[in-house]
Amino acid sequence: MASHIGKLPIAVPAGVEVAFKGQEFTAKGPKGSDGYTLPEGITGKVEGNQIIMTPADEDRTTKAKHGLSRSIVASMVEGVSKGYSKHLQIVGTGYRVVAKGKSLEFSLGYSHTITVDPPEGITFETPNANEVVVTGIDKQAVGQAAANIRALRAPEPYKGKGIKYADEHILRKAGKAGK
């Protein structure tokens, strides 16, 4: 019994070039290019406009790597064709963000401003003073950059102040009971 995820073929959209050279996988598309080294025991091949991943044996660790490598390759193909983005909202009186070149400068209620530089391959956009959009072709890097920004001032449960994901729901607490 092979990995359920690993068995699924990966559709290659038009305008994306994929290639396997030994254990090295490369993908090029309209958004950029990316590469990945397949783990031992996993091979990949391109058949028409699909990518098929196959394990060398039925060992438990090989099956786990099979599903993992298939998911990573599928994310890379989607990343070079469409890209990934995370939307963050800044909630709180006086909390705001200003774009300074490629960097962002946050005012989050501290005595100082916080400057965040984008990692390689990541871009920041600020549609307004209370929103940040993190975009890039690497799913993991986009998520990590967004998590680092959120960690600057995580949302608190009483008033909901802080930086949160746009689709995140903050569980609110009642606070102190009055007399």
Side-chain angles (χ1 to χ4, degrees):
M1 176 92 181
S3 165
H4 290 289
I5 297 293
K7 286 192 288 187
L8 300 172
I10 303 165
V12 180
V16 176
E17 297 175 28
V18 294
F20 285 98
K21 191 172 188 178
Q23 293 296 99
E24 296 293 322
F25 170 74
T26 56
K28 282 185 184 167
K31 298 279 185 183
S33 62
D34 208 352
Y36 176 65
T37 303
L38 294 174
E40 266 187 58
I42 307 297
T43 57
K45 62 183 175 208
V46 180
E47 292 181 356
N49 63 346
Q50 290 185 332
I51 299 172
I52 309 293
M53 308 293 281
T54 54
D57 54 44
E58 290 295 316
D59 189 37
R60 183 181 176 102
T61 57
T62 306
K63 287 193 288 187
K65 291 177 189 174
H66 184 211
L68 171 72
S69 57
R70 188 260 178 215
S71 294
I72 291 173
V73 168
S75 294
M76 288 175 65
V77 170
E78 185 176 339
V80 297
S81 64
K82 298 178 192 168
Y84 289 100
S85 67
K86 290 270 188 181
H87 298 266
L88 297 157
Q89 293 177 337
I90 302 169
V91 180
T93 305
Y95 290 10
R96 67 181 181 280
V97 63
V98 177
K100 299 266 180 158
K102 291 184 176 185
S103 301
L104 298 176
E105 189 172 273
F106 290 91
S107 298
L108 299 171
Y110 298 118
S111 62
H112 58 283
T113 59
I114 301 169
T115 304
V116 177
D117 296 320
E120 192 168 325
I122 302 296
T123 57
F124 295 141
E125 297 172 29
T126 53
N128 59 49
N130 295 326
E131 286 184 46
V132 176
V133 180
V134 182
T135 57
I137 63 170
D138 187 352
K139 186 177 189 177
Q140 189 274 333
V142 169
Q144 187 63 54
N148 291 345
I149 290 173
R150 183 183 181 275
L152 297 175
R153 180 71 103 171
E156 53 94 15
Y158 296 101
K159 292 184 179 178
K161 292 167 56 171
I163 302 174
K164 68 181 192 92
Y165 296 111
D167 57 353
E168 181 180 12
H169 178 72
I170 306 299
L171 289 176
R172 303 293 289 271
K173 291 184 178 179
K176 288 185 179 179
K179 284 189 174 184

